[in-house]
Amino acid sequence: MLISGSLVGEDSLLFDPVQLPNGEARDSDPCNDHPLSDDQRIHPSKVAGDRASLIAFLDYQRATLAMKCQGLTGGQLKRKAVPTSGLSLLGLVRHAAEVERSWFRWVLNGEDGKALWPRVNGEFADLHVDDADVEEAFAFWREACDGSRAAADTVESLDDTVEFRGEVISLRYVLTHMIEEYARHNGHADLLREAIDGEVGE
């Protein structure tokens, strides 16, 4: 199965993490068969305000991870392509889904929830992908990103705060942390993709 614009059926998009600045969904899917040199992402504005900039940069980082997965088979997505690491592209997607849910739904929205992939021998299972369902992982990721946007939209100000496990946390912090989270793992994704098929690109 190639990771492309379709997931289960002809009309099912694999992942569409990017929205236009006005909040409307974009028409194209960043996980498609375009080469990495064909950048389908929406680049953040250089003059937007704080909130719009943070949201745009987070969507840009989400789309970057999606771009690193495009055109690969399930086997390639599961491949631990860097000999010294247990990371895979699919593991990063599963991890991103868990992190989206934990920060936006559990922390920001105060929802109760369980991990999508429970611990195995005391370790988080999101990075263990040998028997993972590729379609399920991308579906969970897409759903998590949609939920994150909805949760952020309910918060009036970047400086509005919630209390979580004895800490006071603002929307500004959550968005900034999520950008950092994706940016760090997208560096891993760069190395993984190049090791899998030689494709490089921002």
Side-chain angles (χ1 to χ4, degrees), residues 17-95:
V18 181
Q19 292 181 319
L20 297 173
N22 62 7
E24 296 178 0
R26 64 180 292 174
D27 293 331
S28 58
D29 176 15
C31 260
N32 49 37
D33 291 327
H34 295 289
L36 296 189
S37 58
D38 185 8
D39 190 346
Q40 299 293 301
R41 297 168 297 171
I42 300 242
H43 292 251
S45 167
K46 295 180 176 63
V47 295
D50 287 356
R51 183 168 186 147
S53 289
L54 288 170
I55 290 172
F57 269 100
L58 178 52
D59 271 336
Y60 184 80
Q61 293 295 337
R62 288 168 174 150
T64 298
L65 181 55
M67 184 178 73
K68 291 297 176 180
C69 297
Q70 67 190 24
L72 296 179
T73 66
Q76 288 173 315
L77 289 168
K78 293 180 181 182
R79 182 179 166 191
K80 300 173 181 67
V82 177
T84 57
S85 172
L87 293 176
S88 66
L89 286 170
L90 186 62
L92 293 180
V93 168
R94 283 160 51 109
H95 179 65

Side-chain angles (χ1 to χ4, degrees), residues 4-191:
S4 64
S6 61
L7 180 54
V8 179
E10 291 299 322
D11 297 325
S12 297
L13 291 180
L14 174 64
F15 184 61
D16 187 11
V18 181
Q19 292 181 319
L20 297 173
N22 62 7
E24 296 178 0
R26 64 180 292 174
D27 293 331
S28 58
D29 176 15
C31 260
N32 49 37
D33 291 327
H34 295 289
L36 296 189
S37 58
D38 185 8
D39 190 346
Q40 299 293 301
R41 297 168 297 171
I42 300 242
H43 292 251
S45 167
K46 295 180 176 63
V47 295
D50 287 356
R51 183 168 186 147
S53 289
L54 288 170
I55 290 172
F57 269 100
L58 178 52
D59 271 336
Y60 184 80
Q61 293 295 337
R62 288 168 174 150
T64 298
L65 181 55
M67 184 178 73
K68 291 297 176 180
C69 297
Q70 67 190 24
L72 296 179
T73 66
Q76 288 173 315
L77 289 168
K78 293 180 181 182
R79 182 179 166 191
K80 300 173 181 67
V82 177
T84 57
S85 172
L87 293 176
S88 66
L89 286 170
L90 186 62
L92 293 180
V93 168
R94 283 160 51 109
H95 179 65
E98 291 282 28
V99 174
E100 293 271 4
R101 294 173 80 250
S102 64
W103 279 100
F104 285 96
R105 294 180 60 177
W106 302 351
V107 176
L108 199 62
N109 252 12
E111 298 179 27
D112 293 325
K114 296 181 180 180
L116 292 169
W117 299 281
R119 289 174 182 258
V120 176
N121 297 324
E123 297 181 358
F124 290 110
D126 45 1
L127 300 178
H128 298 273
V129 299
D130 290 346
D131 300 319
D133 186 318
V134 175
E135 296 179 357
E136 175 192 70
F138 278 92
F140 280 152
W141 185 27
R142 179 176 184 170
E143 179 183 2
C145 290
D146 288 343
S148 296
R149 291 192 195 90
D153 284 346
T154 66
V155 181
E156 183 175 350
S157 168
L158 286 175
D159 298 316
D160 284 356
T161 60
V162 296
E163 291 189 17
F164 184 78
R165 296 179 181 174
E167 292 188 288
V168 178
I169 301 171
S170 69
L171 174 60
R172 184 189 302 276
Y173 177 85
V174 172
L175 292 172
T176 303
H177 174 73
M178 288 298 297
I179 293 168
E180 181 271 338
E181 179 81 14
Y182 272 100
R184 181 163 56 91
H185 288 310
N186 282 337
H188 299 143
D190 280 336
L191 294 175

